[in-house]
Amino acid sequence: MAAAAPSPIGPEQAALITGPVSIVASSRAADLRPHLMRPAGCRLSEDRRRLTLVLPRAGSRQLLDDVAANRRIAVVFSEPSSNRTLQLKGHDAVVATCGPDDAALARRHLDGFAAAIGRLGFAHEVAQTLLAHDPELVAVHFTIAEAYEQTPGPSAGKPLAAPAR
């Protein structure tokens, strides 16, 4: 059996992804129409190869339908204070039931994001409005197949290389 490809996500990128960031997930329908949704949080596997997004079921219907149909997803993570931005793509995404800790994960993400934008002068209610969701959450799991630097500037769009071991 061939060894799995190393993750392009190093410790610095992992800290960004799992930190108090803006997250936007996107998919596309068969007619290439895009669908976007703000996840309520995410988990990165210990080996940094797989990502789980926690999404509100009701507001994510189109994105979830797209993922079920074509298994493709793209996610952008952007740090409010610096605009440091990464984009991850998956080609094997699956919709699954959330785990027992995912509601707490969503709450931590909301609180962290609210604190991050609060330091920029935005009220906590702004984060609550952006990340408002019904209590029913659903998970989307995928292997990180592509990763890109998307911070505005000369490196935007460059693929991330696997970190040195």
Side-chain angles (χ1 to χ4, degrees):
M1 178 191 252
S7 172
I9 305 302
E12 181 183 334
Q13 290 93 4
L16 176 80
I17 290 166
T18 58
V21 294
S22 169
I23 308 172
V24 177
S26 62
S27 63
R28 63 165 177 77
D31 65 359
L32 304 182
R33 169 182 253 140
H35 296 114
L36 306 173
M37 187 60 191
R38 284 191 174 274
C42 74
R43 277 191 320 277
L44 185 62
S45 66
E46 191 172 317
D47 66 3
R48 299 188 304 257
R49 293 189 67 246
R50 292 194 48 82
L51 192 73
T52 297
L53 301 174
V54 176
L55 296 151
R57 182 180 294 279
S60 302
R61 176 55 44 213
Q62 291 175 314
L63 184 138
L64 297 172
D65 288 349
D66 294 346
V67 166
N70 64 38
R71 302 189 68 196
R72 296 188 176 270
I73 193 161
V75 189
V76 175
F77 301 86
S78 187
E79 185 177 56
S81 64
S82 68
N83 290 320
R84 174 78 201 279
T85 304
L86 298 175
Q87 180 187 45
L88 307 179
K89 293 183 179 185
H91 307 148
D92 64 351
V94 294
V95 178
T97 303
C98 275
D101 299 329
D102 287 333
L105 174 92
R107 185 76 210 162
R108 284 191 309 275
H109 178 70
L110 171 62
D111 291 344
F113 182 68
I117 66 171
R119 289 187 288 279
L120 299 174
F122 293 95
H124 191 273
E125 291 78 16
V126 173
Q128 289 176 316
T129 300
L130 287 172
L131 299 177
H133 60 82
D134 61 58
E136 188 178 1
L137 298 170
V138 63
V140 173
H141 307 291
F142 67 95
T143 304
I144 299 167
E146 301 174 54
Y148 300 92
E149 176 64 47
Q150 293 295 10
T151 304
S155 295
K158 289 187 179 176
L160 296 180
R165 292 189 180 224

